[in-house]
Amino acid sequence: MTKPHQTIPVQVGNVTIGGTAPVAVQSMTNTDTVDAETTAQQIVSLAKAGSELVRITVNTSEAAAQVPVIRERIRQLGCEVPIVGDFHFNGHKLLREHPACAEALDKYRINPGNVGRGKKRDEQFSSLIEFACKYDKPVRIGVNWGSLDQSVLARLMDENAKLNEPLEPKAIMYQAIITSALESAQQAEDIGLPHDRIILSAKMSGVQDLIQVYQSLASQCEYPLHLGLTEAGMGSKGIVASTAALSILLQQGIGDTIRISLTPEPHGDRTQEVIVAQEILQTMGLRSFTPQVIACPGCGRTSSTYFQQLAQDIQSYLRHNMPQWRKKYHGVEDMTVAVMGCVVNGPGESKHANIGISLPGTGEKPVAPVYEDGEKTVTLKGDHIAEEFQAIIDKYIERHYT
């Protein structure tokens, strides 16, 4: 898909954001950064899941002191993912007191609403940008409607009040978010940060709000844009809301990097947000990350849970092996695998996939034909269908991808 919103490329470590580069997936740790080992392990876990940038909280002097330790540790573990430092309130102070932290990070994230008030705001923002210039680091200027720069909002509200036909309060809020991002970017350039070292974001927690703000922001700048529905929520709500908002924008060519800000279950797996981001991009045809499993939803013909378990096992197997397969088998991420539960759509869907199996439904003959590129190659039966089908997938990959 050609991107209607053309942006300038920004290099972040070994990842290019914007330009003609594919939309990048990023995530954020939820560990205490002071705990360097736990944080490093989670960064590696997120990177293995497919996160191409990982952001960490840098909120205290103790946390800042551990950033170079964390960077060194993930390199020891063979992980090259860029690390982004998330700064609020005291970033200017932490970067000044911990130059090794400033050097170790691959990008800084600054929220214009959380860098200070009044004169201190300009001084502290300038200090952050000067460190970025000194260490040649790109900066994401990330506006968030939950922590909007109140001085910008107050100024626009005063201007609006003087109009003959004032805008609605929500429209002023949108305008304030966009203005804060663009004015902060211009201020950063005036201080000396190069045009191609700036990324913008304007996160909202409402789907329609996010769409309107990013559509307007994209029409007014060529900076790469980071997309994300902030405070998306838990479980299916967070996934659906994020998908609804980001898919519309991505379809319009808006967005150069994304994060799905899911609230995990207590002690839940943080990598879920990475998988959801990848699946959004892959189902839209924007990128391929892992072979896709096509499976029917089940009905009265499929009273057994066998096909459901097989589909789940095959999907887990494919995702688990992708880090090794990606290095060895070029194009394997584009493969489709069908695991179907009965004769109604089973053979047809299996023929359309690269490789597929049509399992017997309730009352059907206990055999499972396997199709490779539209042709039936074997019929499986007995107690080891799952293991045999997995072996067939392995052989298919070895034959078709080099």
Side-chain angles (χ1 to χ4, degrees):
M1 179 187 298
T2 301
K3 289 192 63 179
H5 180 229
Q6 294 299 318
T7 58
I8 56 173
V10 175
Q11 196 66 32
V12 183
N14 56 9
V15 176
T16 302
I17 306 297
T20 60
V23 178
V25 172
Q26 62 178 274
S27 57
M28 185 175 184
T29 60
N30 61 354
T31 58
D32 184 351
T33 308
V34 175
D35 186 345
E37 181 61 26
T38 300
T39 301
Q41 292 292 342
Q42 189 174 80
I43 291 172
V44 172
S45 176
L46 290 166
K48 285 183 177 179
S51 184
E52 292 158 309
L53 297 94
V54 178
R55 182 157 47 111
I56 64 174
T57 297
V58 187
N59 59 335
T60 65
S61 181
E62 292 79 10
Q66 293 303 311
V67 171
V69 178
I70 292 167
R71 180 184 175 88
E72 176 62 24
R73 179 60 177 144
I74 69 168
R75 297 297 183 260
Q76 290 174 354
L77 296 170
C79 179
E80 299 294 328
V81 69
I83 304 175
V84 181
D86 192 62
F87 293 102
H88 296 273
F89 309 112
N90 60 352
H92 60 290
K93 179 181 177 182
L94 297 178
L95 291 175
R96 182 179 65 250
E97 294 178 351
H98 297 275
C101 169
E103 177 64 34
L105 292 168
D106 294 284
K107 185 178 77 170
Y108 307 157
R109 189 271 185 163
I110 304 171
N111 184 336
N114 287 341
V115 295
R117 299 287 185 271
K119 291 183 178 180
K120 285 187 176 182
R121 189 268 183 199
D122 289 340
E123 293 173 2
Q124 293 171 184
F125 181 83
S126 296
S127 178
L128 286 162
I129 298 302
E130 287 166 0
F131 282 114
C133 294
K134 178 179 179 180
Y135 293 102
D136 189 25
K137 305 296 181 180
V139 173
R140 171 159 71 93
I141 296 174
V143 181
N144 190 306
W145 81 334
S147 50
L148 179 60
D149 188 335
Q150 294 302 303
S151 64
V152 174
L153 180 60
R155 187 184 85 216
L156 294 180
M157 289 179 65
D158 288 343
E159 293 174 358
N160 185 60
K162 297 174 183 177
L163 298 176
N164 292 330
E165 297 183 9
L167 300 174
E168 293 293 324
K170 179 171 281 192
I172 299 303
M173 174 70 81
Y174 292 169
Q175 194 178 93
I177 289 170
I178 295 165
T179 298
S180 178
L182 295 177
E183 288 186 351
S184 296
Q186 185 58 58
Q187 184 180 357
E189 288 198 50
D190 292 341
I191 294 167
L193 189 65
H195 189 62
D196 64 353
R197 303 301 273 164
I198 298 172
I199 297 170
L200 298 184
S201 67
K203 289 191 172 183
M204 314 282 281
S205 59
V207 172
Q208 296 297 338
D209 298 322
L210 189 84
I211 292 168
Q212 290 191 50
V213 165
Y214 270 95
Q215 286 173 336
S216 181
L217 181 59
S219 71
Q220 298 180 55
C221 75
E222 60 177 4
Y223 299 112
L225 300 180
H226 168 69
L227 302 186
L229 191 72
T230 190
E231 293 98 33
M234 298 182 71
S236 61
K237 184 272 179 184
I239 294 171
V240 170
S242 293
T243 303
L246 270 60
S247 295
I248 290 172
L249 292 168
L250 290 166
Q251 185 67 24
Q252 295 173 354
I254 298 171
D256 301 280
T257 173
I258 66 173
R259 182 197 171 200
I260 309 302
S261 300
L262 296 180
T263 303
E265 299 288 340
H267 310 295
D269 189 348
R270 191 67 165 179
T271 61
Q272 184 187 17
E273 67 176 49
V274 179
I275 294 170
V276 173
Q278 289 181 328
E279 290 180 344
I280 290 173
L281 294 174
Q282 185 150 352
T283 55
M284 291 187 68
L286 297 174
R287 291 189 66 180
S288 294
F289 296 95
T290 190
Q292 292 289 282
V293 175
I294 300 164
C296 61
C299 66
R301 292 174 175 269
T302 56
S303 55
S304 167
T305 61
Y306 188 85
F307 90 94
Q308 300 163 351
Q309 186 63 52
L310 180 59
Q312 183 180 63
D313 290 347
I314 291 298
Q315 184 164 280
S316 297
Y317 178 73
L318 295 173
R319 186 169 289 279
H320 175 76
N321 282 280
M322 268 309 295
Q324 292 76 37
W325 286 348
R326 188 176 291 111
K327 299 173 185 176
K328 187 175 180 181
Y329 302 115
H330 177 71
V332 68
E333 64 274 9
D334 294 315
M335 185 175 73
T336 55
V337 179
V339 179
M340 304 302 293
C342 80
V343 75
V344 174
N345 290 319
E349 289 287 357
S350 296
K351 290 177 183 178
H352 289 145
N354 293 110
I355 182 168
I357 186 169
S358 180
L359 295 164
T362 304
E364 294 177 6
K365 189 177 180 180
V367 296
V370 174
Y371 299 84
E372 297 182 30
D373 296 321
E375 300 293 331
K376 187 168 79 169
T377 56
V378 67
T379 298
L380 304 180
K381 60 183 71 175
D383 298 328
H384 302 287
I385 289 177
E387 294 87 342
E388 291 173 4
F389 184 58
Q390 185 171 296
I392 290 171
I393 291 174
D394 289 339
K395 292 177 181 177
Y396 181 92
I397 292 172
E398 291 174 1
R399 291 196 310 271
H400 288 81
Y401 301 97
T402 57

